[in-house]
Amino acid sequence: MVFLGGQVLPGNVGRAILGPFADQRAVDALNHSLGVDRPLLVQYGSWIWNFLHGDMGTSYVFRAPVAPFVIDALGNSMKLALVAFVLVVPIGILGGVIAALNFNRPLDRIISLGGLSVTVLPEFVTGIILILIFGVWLRWLPIAAAWPKGAGFFTQLYYLTLPSLPLFLVLFGYIARMARSGMIEALDSDYTRTAVLKGLPWRMVIWRHVLRNALLPTITVIATQTGYLIGGLVVIETLFRYQGIGSLIFTAARGKDFPMLEAGILTIGIVYAVATLIADFLYSVLNPRIRLGAEQ
Amino acid sequence: MSATDTPVSLPTPDTAQRSPWGEVLHSLSRSGTFLTGLAIVVFWIVCALFGQHFVPYDPLASDIINALTPPAADHWFGTDQLGRDVFSRVIVGSRDILTVAPLATILATIAGTALGLVIGYFRGIVDDIVSRVLEAFMAIPVVIIALLAIVALGTSKITVIVVIGLSFAPIIARTVRSAVLAERELDYVAAAKLRHEGALHTMFVEILPNVIPPILVETTVRLGYAIFAVATLSFMGFGIQPPSPDWGLSISSNYGMIGGGFWWTVLFDALAIASLVIGVNLVADGVHGAFND
């Protein structure tokens, strides 16, 4: 599907590389050497075959194999996404839990409304505002994500803090909201009442009975947000000039570098599928009622 | 004419006899969230329609000598790198996003409603196949779909409208489908079938009016996301094109200089987008509340 998307895009590849004033014969020759004048089906077959063998094709623009670019970019994006995730998952869940325990009190209102407001804002808007506050006015954090070569772990982390914040804000609202409604439902349930009535300490009830049930739907939400996160990465990486998979796709799309574009998007598809699989697995581990391979 | 002369009941101020729609309007008019959101949205609509008549400067007129001046009495929000007045540009900048995003939402609503009615009404194999395809579509982030489509079709407002409209249609179709699944079991649908009404008539004349509330709610929610998407695409350079004073576009052409401390060239545009998005979401929240109480 990705491949077809790339091929349906009109726009002569040779023409795009050589520019509008190139000789038609030169364009044809280049098209031939790149193999883009072969029938679609032949191209598709060889593309899939090569991808499975780790050969993602040759970039039209850089005239070099795509794979190292994609792998580098994926690594960078993973770092960024990881920082955002490590921040947002505990804080988001904590926010939701606190909101639920203070149901309908001012603290709940603040967390719910605040979370909702930052969630609906485009990442580049929150990004710009955060850059202004922390990068330009306070000068606490660098405004570009590219760290000096050979930087250590903490330096990289320092450079990644600001770019991960907009992703954090968007995800925070979703995760907190799910955790909150899961908690409210669990707090309201019969098993919680039973646990309280049989004299368990409140802390124990929350940890052992409420949280465990409340977090199940939250995990599903976190997994579905990976798809969103990837879309967000395109924007954030452009804004912070970060060499990740999002900016790779963006640059490839602008330069009509189809092998790069296709490899990038297919990679994202694989990441998405893996994330969904992991979520399903986690869900079954945490929920004894759904075991892998069981009935239903 | 007194009220007793009209047997057809018009919505009357009498609380006891309010039509369902009157009920919704009444609850909207008492919802603080809805009214706040509406005020913000109306403010930007007025700016889009009449802004050019009351702004102090021509939003497109450059004045290189006064480029990048900080906010002051004669330029409230300062000037950008071409010396254009930022205040005037922010006010007029709502115009493009407020045409593109609603048109995309309308397209999504029409396409999604038609699709949702068909798959919800026929169910069976049509539903199975179409639903799987829709799910596959929804798994791809809108930004990626938009990126591919815009590379393919070139950048224009029409492309943006079509791309966002079509990528939101599956979500609306899913909402309509689940509403139709509940409706099709009701007696009035069976009655229509007994009268030998055609499938099209049953879907669009009988069922459609009854699933309007969820469609309205979903449409207002989608409008918020459409503004999100249009702003993002303009920022990426794939949407509205220069020299439009569009907010996303202004940010994208000015944020490169942010390190130099020229904060006024981007801050006000960012705040404008933020206010519009939050305004639309407050409206959506209010509409959702009014239909679900």
Side-chain angles (χ1 to χ4, degrees), chain B residues 200-256:
Chain B
L200 273 180
H201 180 272
T202 317
M203 277 189 274
F204 287 93
V205 181
E206 303 286 342
I207 298 180
L208 182 59
N210 290 296
V211 291
I212 292 287
I215 295 177
L216 258 181
V217 173
E218 191 61 44
T219 302
T220 48
V221 172
R222 282 305 125 201
L223 180 61
Y225 284 102
I227 290 174
F228 186 123
V230 174
T232 302
L233 288 179
S234 327
F235 169 72
M236 308 283 291
F238 284 128
I240 297 154
Q241 294 297 309
S244 163
D246 178 71
W247 300 325
L249 194 63
S250 297
I251 292 179
S252 104
S253 53
N254 286 312
Y255 83 95

Short mmCIF file of all heavy atoms in Angstrom, two decimals, chain B residues 200-256:
data_model
loop_
_atom_site.label_atom_id
_atom_site.label_comp_id
_atom_site.label_asym_id
_atom_site.label_seq_id
_atom_site.Cartn_x
_atom_site.Cartn_y
_atom_site.Cartn_z
N LEU B 200 -32.71 3.36 -0.18
CA LEU B 200 -32.22 4.74 -0.15
C LEU B 200 -33.17 5.62 0.66
O LEU B 200 -32.75 6.42 1.48
CB LEU B 200 -32.10 5.30 -1.57
CG LEU B 200 -30.79 5.02 -2.29
CD1 LEU B 200 -30.83 5.62 -3.68
CD2 LEU B 200 -29.62 5.57 -1.49
N HIS B 201 -34.48 5.46 0.40
CA HIS B 201 -35.48 6.25 1.11
C HIS B 201 -35.40 5.96 2.60
O HIS B 201 -35.39 6.88 3.43
CB HIS B 201 -36.88 5.92 0.56
CG HIS B 201 -37.96 6.71 1.24
ND1 HIS B 201 -38.57 6.27 2.40
CD2 HIS B 201 -38.53 7.90 0.94
CE1 HIS B 201 -39.46 7.17 2.78
NE2 HIS B 201 -39.46 8.17 1.91
N THR B 202 -35.32 4.69 2.96
CA THR B 202 -35.28 4.33 4.38
C THR B 202 -34.06 4.94 5.04
O THR B 202 -34.14 5.49 6.13
CB THR B 202 -35.24 2.80 4.53
OG1 THR B 202 -36.16 2.24 3.62
CG2 THR B 202 -35.58 2.39 5.95
N MET B 203 -32.92 4.84 4.34
CA MET B 203 -31.68 5.34 4.94
C MET B 203 -31.72 6.86 5.12
O MET B 203 -31.44 7.36 6.20
CB MET B 203 -30.49 4.99 4.04
CG MET B 203 -29.97 3.59 4.26
SD MET B 203 -28.45 3.38 3.36
CE MET B 203 -29.06 2.92 1.76
N PHE B 204 -32.04 7.56 4.03
CA PHE B 204 -31.85 9.01 4.07
C PHE B 204 -33.06 9.78 4.57
O PHE B 204 -32.92 10.88 5.08
CB PHE B 204 -31.42 9.53 2.69
CG PHE B 204 -30.00 9.15 2.38
CD1 PHE B 204 -29.71 7.99 1.68
CD2 PHE B 204 -28.96 9.94 2.82
CE1 PHE B 204 -28.41 7.64 1.42
CE2 PHE B 204 -27.64 9.59 2.56
CZ PHE B 204 -27.36 8.43 1.85
N VAL B 205 -34.27 9.24 4.39
CA VAL B 205 -35.46 9.97 4.83
C VAL B 205 -35.91 9.51 6.21
O VAL B 205 -36.33 10.30 7.03
CB VAL B 205 -36.59 9.84 3.79
CG1 VAL B 205 -37.81 10.62 4.24
CG2 VAL B 205 -36.12 10.31 2.43
N GLU B 206 -35.82 8.19 6.47
CA GLU B 206 -36.31 7.68 7.76
C GLU B 206 -35.22 7.72 8.84
O GLU B 206 -35.43 8.26 9.92
CB GLU B 206 -36.81 6.24 7.60
CG GLU B 206 -37.90 6.06 6.57
CD GLU B 206 -39.25 6.60 7.05
OE1 GLU B 206 -39.42 6.78 8.25
OE2 GLU B 206 -40.13 6.83 6.19
N ILE B 207 -34.06 7.11 8.55
CA ILE B 207 -33.06 6.95 9.60
C ILE B 207 -32.26 8.23 9.82
O ILE B 207 -32.05 8.65 10.96
CB ILE B 207 -32.11 5.78 9.27
CG1 ILE B 207 -32.91 4.47 9.20
CG2 ILE B 207 -31.01 5.65 10.32
CD1 ILE B 207 -32.09 3.26 8.89
N LEU B 208 -31.85 8.87 8.72
CA LEU B 208 -30.95 10.03 8.84
C LEU B 208 -31.41 11.08 9.87
O LEU B 208 -30.62 11.48 10.72
CB LEU B 208 -30.70 10.65 7.46
CG LEU B 208 -29.75 11.83 7.43
CD1 LEU B 208 -28.37 11.45 7.98
CD2 LEU B 208 -29.60 12.39 6.02
N PRO B 209 -32.69 11.53 9.80
CA PRO B 209 -33.08 12.57 10.76
C PRO B 209 -32.91 12.13 12.21
O PRO B 209 -32.69 12.95 13.10
CB PRO B 209 -34.57 12.79 10.46
CG PRO B 209 -34.75 12.31 9.08
CD PRO B 209 -33.78 11.18 8.90
N ASN B 210 -32.97 10.83 12.46
CA ASN B 210 -32.87 10.34 13.84
C ASN B 210 -31.44 10.19 14.32
O ASN B 210 -31.22 9.99 15.51
CB ASN B 210 -33.61 9.01 13.96
CG ASN B 210 -35.10 9.21 13.85
OD1 ASN B 210 -35.70 9.87 14.67
ND2 ASN B 210 -35.67 8.70 12.78
N VAL B 211 -30.49 10.21 13.39
CA VAL B 211 -29.10 10.09 13.85
C VAL B 211 -28.37 11.43 13.76
O VAL B 211 -27.16 11.49 13.89
CB VAL B 211 -28.32 9.00 13.06
CG1 VAL B 211 -28.86 7.63 13.40
CG2 VAL B 211 -28.34 9.24 11.58
N ILE B 212 -29.13 12.51 13.53
CA ILE B 212 -28.51 13.83 13.44
C ILE B 212 -27.74 14.22 14.71
O ILE B 212 -26.61 14.71 14.61
CB ILE B 212 -29.56 14.91 13.08
CG1 ILE B 212 -30.07 14.73 11.66
CG2 ILE B 212 -29.01 16.32 13.27
CD1 ILE B 212 -29.10 15.11 10.57
N PRO B 213 -28.28 13.98 15.91
CA PRO B 213 -27.53 14.43 17.10
C PRO B 213 -26.09 13.90 17.18
O PRO B 213 -25.17 14.70 17.30
CB PRO B 213 -28.40 13.95 18.27
CG PRO B 213 -29.78 13.94 17.71
CD PRO B 213 -29.63 13.53 16.28
N PRO B 214 -25.87 12.57 17.09
CA PRO B 214 -24.47 12.13 17.13
C PRO B 214 -23.63 12.71 15.99
O PRO B 214 -22.45 12.99 16.18
CB PRO B 214 -24.55 10.61 17.04
CG PRO B 214 -25.92 10.29 16.61
CD PRO B 214 -26.78 11.41 17.06
N ILE B 215 -24.24 12.91 14.82
CA ILE B 215 -23.49 13.47 13.70
C ILE B 215 -23.05 14.89 14.03
O ILE B 215 -21.90 15.28 13.80
CB ILE B 215 -24.31 13.46 12.39
CG1 ILE B 215 -24.60 12.02 11.96
CG2 ILE B 215 -23.59 14.20 11.28
CD1 ILE B 215 -25.46 11.90 10.73
N LEU B 216 -23.99 15.68 14.61
CA LEU B 216 -23.66 17.07 14.97
C LEU B 216 -22.52 17.12 15.98
O LEU B 216 -21.58 17.91 15.84
CB LEU B 216 -24.88 17.74 15.58
CG LEU B 216 -25.65 18.68 14.68
CD1 LEU B 216 -26.82 19.27 15.43
CD2 LEU B 216 -24.72 19.79 14.20
N VAL B 217 -22.59 16.25 16.99
CA VAL B 217 -21.55 16.23 18.01
C VAL B 217 -20.21 15.89 17.37
O VAL B 217 -19.21 16.58 17.56
CB VAL B 217 -21.90 15.22 19.12
CG1 VAL B 217 -20.74 15.06 20.08
CG2 VAL B 217 -23.14 15.66 19.87
N GLU B 218 -20.22 14.83 16.57
CA GLU B 218 -18.97 14.38 15.94
C GLU B 218 -18.41 15.47 15.03
O GLU B 218 -17.20 15.68 14.96
CB GLU B 218 -19.25 13.09 15.16
CG GLU B 218 -18.01 12.36 14.66
CD GLU B 218 -17.09 11.89 15.78
OE1 GLU B 218 -17.60 11.36 16.78
OE2 GLU B 218 -15.87 12.07 15.64
N THR B 219 -19.31 16.19 14.32
CA THR B 219 -18.84 17.24 13.40
C THR B 219 -18.14 18.36 14.16
O THR B 219 -17.08 18.82 13.74
CB THR B 219 -20.04 17.82 12.61
OG1 THR B 219 -20.66 16.74 11.92
CG2 THR B 219 -19.58 18.85 11.62
N THR B 220 -18.71 18.77 15.29
CA THR B 220 -18.06 19.87 16.02
C THR B 220 -16.71 19.41 16.57
O THR B 220 -15.75 20.16 16.57
CB THR B 220 -18.94 20.40 17.16
OG1 THR B 220 -19.43 19.30 17.91
CG2 THR B 220 -20.09 21.21 16.66
N VAL B 221 -16.66 18.15 17.03
CA VAL B 221 -15.38 17.64 17.52
C VAL B 221 -14.36 17.61 16.37
O VAL B 221 -13.21 18.04 16.52
CB VAL B 221 -15.54 16.22 18.11
CG1 VAL B 221 -14.19 15.62 18.45
CG2 VAL B 221 -16.41 16.28 19.36
N ARG B 222 -14.80 17.13 15.22
CA ARG B 222 -13.90 17.03 14.05
C ARG B 222 -13.40 18.41 13.61
O ARG B 222 -12.30 18.54 13.11
CB ARG B 222 -14.60 16.38 12.86
CG ARG B 222 -14.72 14.89 12.93
CD ARG B 222 -13.40 14.21 13.12
NE ARG B 222 -13.49 13.38 14.29
CZ ARG B 222 -12.46 12.95 15.01
NH1 ARG B 222 -11.24 13.26 14.66
NH2 ARG B 222 -12.65 12.21 16.06
N LEU B 223 -14.27 19.43 13.75
CA LEU B 223 -13.86 20.77 13.35
C LEU B 223 -12.62 21.20 14.14
O LEU B 223 -11.68 21.77 13.57
CB LEU B 223 -15.01 21.77 13.56
CG LEU B 223 -14.70 23.21 13.17
CD1 LEU B 223 -14.35 23.29 11.69
CD2 LEU B 223 -15.87 24.12 13.48
N GLY B 224 -12.60 20.86 15.43
CA GLY B 224 -11.42 21.16 16.24
C GLY B 224 -10.19 20.48 15.69
O GLY B 224 -9.13 21.09 15.52
N TYR B 225 -10.34 19.18 15.36
CA TYR B 225 -9.20 18.45 14.81
C TYR B 225 -8.81 18.97 13.43
O TYR B 225 -7.64 18.95 13.06
CB TYR B 225 -9.51 16.96 14.73
CG TYR B 225 -9.44 16.27 16.06
CD1 TYR B 225 -10.59 15.96 16.77
CD2 TYR B 225 -8.21 15.94 16.62
CE1 TYR B 225 -10.53 15.33 18.00
CE2 TYR B 225 -8.14 15.32 17.84
CZ TYR B 225 -9.30 15.02 18.54
OH TYR B 225 -9.22 14.40 19.76
N ALA B 226 -9.81 19.43 12.65
CA ALA B 226 -9.51 19.94 11.31
C ALA B 226 -8.66 21.20 11.42
O ALA B 226 -7.70 21.39 10.66
CB ALA B 226 -10.80 20.23 10.54
N ILE B 227 -8.98 22.06 12.39
CA ILE B 227 -8.19 23.27 12.59
C ILE B 227 -6.76 22.90 13.00
O ILE B 227 -5.78 23.43 12.48
CB ILE B 227 -8.87 24.19 13.62
CG1 ILE B 227 -10.15 24.75 12.99
CG2 ILE B 227 -7.95 25.30 14.07
CD1 ILE B 227 -10.99 25.55 13.92
N PHE B 228 -6.67 21.93 13.90
CA PHE B 228 -5.38 21.36 14.30
C PHE B 228 -4.59 20.93 13.06
O PHE B 228 -3.44 21.33 12.84
CB PHE B 228 -5.68 20.15 15.20
CG PHE B 228 -4.50 19.48 15.84
CD1 PHE B 228 -4.43 19.35 17.23
CD2 PHE B 228 -3.49 18.93 15.09
CE1 PHE B 228 -3.36 18.71 17.84
CE2 PHE B 228 -2.43 18.27 15.69
CZ PHE B 228 -2.36 18.16 17.06
N ALA B 229 -5.25 20.16 12.20
CA ALA B 229 -4.56 19.58 11.04
C ALA B 229 -4.18 20.66 10.02
O ALA B 229 -3.06 20.66 9.50
CB ALA B 229 -5.44 18.52 10.38
N VAL B 230 -5.11 21.59 9.75
CA VAL B 230 -4.82 22.64 8.77
C VAL B 230 -3.65 23.49 9.26
O VAL B 230 -2.72 23.79 8.50
CB VAL B 230 -6.05 23.53 8.51
CG1 VAL B 230 -5.70 24.70 7.62
CG2 VAL B 230 -7.17 22.73 7.90
N ALA B 231 -3.69 23.86 10.55
CA ALA B 231 -2.61 24.68 11.09
C ALA B 231 -1.28 23.95 10.98
O ALA B 231 -0.27 24.52 10.56
CB ALA B 231 -2.90 25.03 12.55
N THR B 232 -1.29 22.65 11.33
CA THR B 232 -0.06 21.87 11.25
C THR B 232 0.46 21.80 9.83
O THR B 232 1.65 21.99 9.57
CB THR B 232 -0.30 20.45 11.80
OG1 THR B 232 -0.78 20.57 13.13
CG2 THR B 232 0.97 19.64 11.80
N LEU B 233 -0.45 21.54 8.87
CA LEU B 233 0.00 21.44 7.48
C LEU B 233 0.54 22.77 6.97
O LEU B 233 1.54 22.79 6.25
CB LEU B 233 -1.14 20.94 6.59
CG LEU B 233 -1.50 19.47 6.78
CD1 LEU B 233 -2.64 19.09 5.88
CD2 LEU B 233 -0.30 18.58 6.50
N SER B 234 -0.08 23.87 7.34
CA SER B 234 0.46 25.17 6.89
C SER B 234 1.83 25.39 7.49
O SER B 234 2.73 25.92 6.84
CB SER B 234 -0.39 26.36 7.29
OG SER B 234 -1.71 26.08 7.31
N PHE B 235 1.98 24.97 8.75
CA PHE B 235 3.27 25.12 9.40
C PHE B 235 4.34 24.31 8.67
O PHE B 235 5.48 24.74 8.52
CB PHE B 235 3.19 24.70 10.86
CG PHE B 235 4.53 24.58 11.53
CD1 PHE B 235 5.26 25.71 11.84
CD2 PHE B 235 5.06 23.33 11.82
CE1 PHE B 235 6.51 25.60 12.43
CE2 PHE B 235 6.30 23.22 12.41
CZ PHE B 235 7.03 24.35 12.71
N MET B 236 3.96 23.12 8.20
CA MET B 236 4.92 22.27 7.49
C MET B 236 5.15 22.76 6.06
O MET B 236 5.95 22.18 5.33
CB MET B 236 4.41 20.83 7.40
CG MET B 236 3.98 20.21 8.71
SD MET B 236 5.35 19.71 9.72
CE MET B 236 6.00 18.36 8.79
N GLY B 237 4.42 23.78 5.64
CA GLY B 237 4.59 24.30 4.28
C GLY B 237 3.77 23.53 3.26
O GLY B 237 3.98 23.66 2.06
N PHE B 238 2.83 22.69 3.72
CA PHE B 238 2.04 21.89 2.80
C PHE B 238 0.60 22.35 2.70
O PHE B 238 -0.27 21.62 2.29
CB PHE B 238 2.02 20.42 3.25
CG PHE B 238 3.29 19.70 2.96
CD1 PHE B 238 3.94 19.01 3.96
CD2 PHE B 238 3.83 19.70 1.70
CE1 PHE B 238 5.11 18.33 3.71
CE2 PHE B 238 4.99 19.03 1.44
CZ PHE B 238 5.64 18.34 2.43
N GLY B 239 0.33 23.56 3.14
CA GLY B 239 -1.08 23.94 3.12
C GLY B 239 -1.25 25.27 2.43
O GLY B 239 -0.97 25.43 1.25
N ILE B 240 -1.69 26.21 3.22
CA ILE B 240 -1.92 27.56 2.73
C ILE B 240 -0.56 28.17 2.37
O ILE B 240 0.42 27.97 3.08
CB ILE B 240 -2.64 28.36 3.83
CG1 ILE B 240 -4.00 27.70 4.08
CG2 ILE B 240 -2.77 29.81 3.47
CD1 ILE B 240 -4.54 27.91 5.45
N GLN B 241 -0.51 28.87 1.24
CA GLN B 241 0.77 29.35 0.73
C GLN B 241 0.95 30.87 0.94
O GLN B 241 -0.02 31.58 1.08
CB GLN B 241 0.87 29.02 -0.75
CG GLN B 241 0.93 27.52 -1.04
CD GLN B 241 2.16 26.87 -0.45
OE1 GLN B 241 3.29 27.33 -0.65
NE2 GLN B 241 1.97 25.79 0.29
N PRO B 242 2.21 31.33 0.98
CA PRO B 242 2.45 32.77 1.10
C PRO B 242 1.83 33.50 -0.09
O PRO B 242 1.66 32.87 -1.14
CB PRO B 242 3.98 32.89 1.06
CG PRO B 242 4.51 31.50 1.16
CD PRO B 242 3.41 30.57 0.84
N PRO B 243 1.52 34.78 0.01
CA PRO B 243 1.81 35.66 1.15
C PRO B 243 0.68 35.73 2.16
O PRO B 243 0.61 36.70 2.91
CB PRO B 243 1.98 37.00 0.45
CG PRO B 243 0.99 36.94 -0.68
CD PRO B 243 0.92 35.51 -1.11
N SER B 244 -0.19 34.73 2.18
CA SER B 244 -1.30 34.76 3.12
C SER B 244 -0.80 34.98 4.55
O SER B 244 0.22 34.42 4.93
CB SER B 244 -2.05 33.42 3.06
OG SER B 244 -2.87 33.27 4.18
N PRO B 245 -1.50 35.79 5.33
CA PRO B 245 -1.06 36.03 6.71
C PRO B 245 -1.45 34.89 7.65
O PRO B 245 -1.50 35.09 8.86
CB PRO B 245 -1.77 37.32 7.08
CG PRO B 245 -2.99 37.34 6.24
CD PRO B 245 -2.65 36.63 4.97
N ASP B 246 -1.73 33.70 7.10
CA ASP B 246 -2.16 32.57 7.92
C ASP B 246 -1.20 32.34 9.09
O ASP B 246 0.01 32.46 8.96
CB ASP B 246 -2.23 31.33 7.04
CG ASP B 246 -2.63 30.11 7.84
OD1 ASP B 246 -3.79 30.04 8.23
OD2 ASP B 246 -1.76 29.25 8.09
N TRP B 247 -1.77 31.93 10.24
CA TRP B 247 -0.98 31.82 11.47
C TRP B 247 0.11 30.76 11.37
O TRP B 247 1.27 31.02 11.71
CB TRP B 247 -1.89 31.50 12.66
CG TRP B 247 -2.94 32.53 12.91
CD1 TRP B 247 -2.81 33.88 12.74
CD2 TRP B 247 -4.27 32.31 13.38
NE1 TRP B 247 -3.97 34.51 13.07
CE2 TRP B 247 -4.89 33.58 13.48
CE3 TRP B 247 -5.00 31.19 13.74
CZ2 TRP B 247 -6.20 33.74 13.91
CZ3 TRP B 247 -6.30 31.35 14.18
CH2 TRP B 247 -6.90 32.60 14.25
N GLY B 248 -0.28 29.56 10.94
CA GLY B 248 0.70 28.47 10.87
C GLY B 248 1.84 28.84 9.94
O GLY B 248 3.02 28.60 10.22
N LEU B 249 1.47 29.44 8.82
CA LEU B 249 2.45 29.86 7.83
C LEU B 249 3.39 30.93 8.39
O LEU B 249 4.60 30.87 8.20
CB LEU B 249 1.69 30.41 6.63
CG LEU B 249 2.44 30.63 5.34
CD1 LEU B 249 2.96 29.31 4.83
CD2 LEU B 249 1.51 31.25 4.32
N SER B 250 2.82 31.90 9.11
CA SER B 250 3.65 32.95 9.70
C SER B 250 4.64 32.36 10.67
O SER B 250 5.81 32.74 10.69
CB SER B 250 2.79 33.96 10.46
OG SER B 250 1.92 34.61 9.58
N ILE B 251 4.18 31.39 11.48
CA ILE B 251 5.09 30.79 12.44
C ILE B 251 6.21 30.08 11.68
O ILE B 251 7.39 30.22 12.01
CB ILE B 251 4.34 29.81 13.35
CG1 ILE B 251 3.38 30.58 14.25
CG2 ILE B 251 5.31 29.00 14.19
CD1 ILE B 251 2.58 29.72 15.17
N SER B 252 5.85 29.35 10.62
CA SER B 252 6.87 28.59 9.92
C SER B 252 7.88 29.51 9.26
O SER B 252 9.06 29.18 9.16
CB SER B 252 6.23 27.62 8.94
OG SER B 252 6.34 28.06 7.64
N SER B 253 7.46 30.70 8.81
CA SER B 253 8.45 31.56 8.16
C SER B 253 9.23 32.41 9.16
O SER B 253 10.23 33.01 8.79
CB SER B 253 7.79 32.44 7.09
OG SER B 253 6.72 33.13 7.63
N ASN B 254 8.80 32.46 10.41
CA ASN B 254 9.50 33.32 11.38
C ASN B 254 10.22 32.58 12.48
O ASN B 254 11.05 33.15 13.17
CB ASN B 254 8.50 34.29 12.02
CG ASN B 254 8.10 35.39 11.07
OD1 ASN B 254 8.94 36.01 10.44
ND2 ASN B 254 6.82 35.60 10.94
N TYR B 255 9.90 31.25 12.69
CA TYR B 255 10.45 30.62 13.89
C TYR B 255 11.95 30.39 13.77
O TYR B 255 12.62 30.18 14.77
CB TYR B 255 9.71 29.34 14.26
CG TYR B 255 10.14 28.10 13.54
CD1 TYR B 255 11.07 27.23 14.10
CD2 TYR B 255 9.62 27.80 12.29
CE1 TYR B 255 11.47 26.09 13.43
CE2 TYR B 255 10.01 26.66 11.63
CZ TYR B 255 10.93 25.81 12.19
OH TYR B 255 11.33 24.69 11.53
N GLY B 256 12.48 30.47 12.54
CA GLY B 256 13.92 30.31 12.37
C GLY B 256 14.72 31.37 13.11
O GLY B 256 15.87 31.16 13.49
#
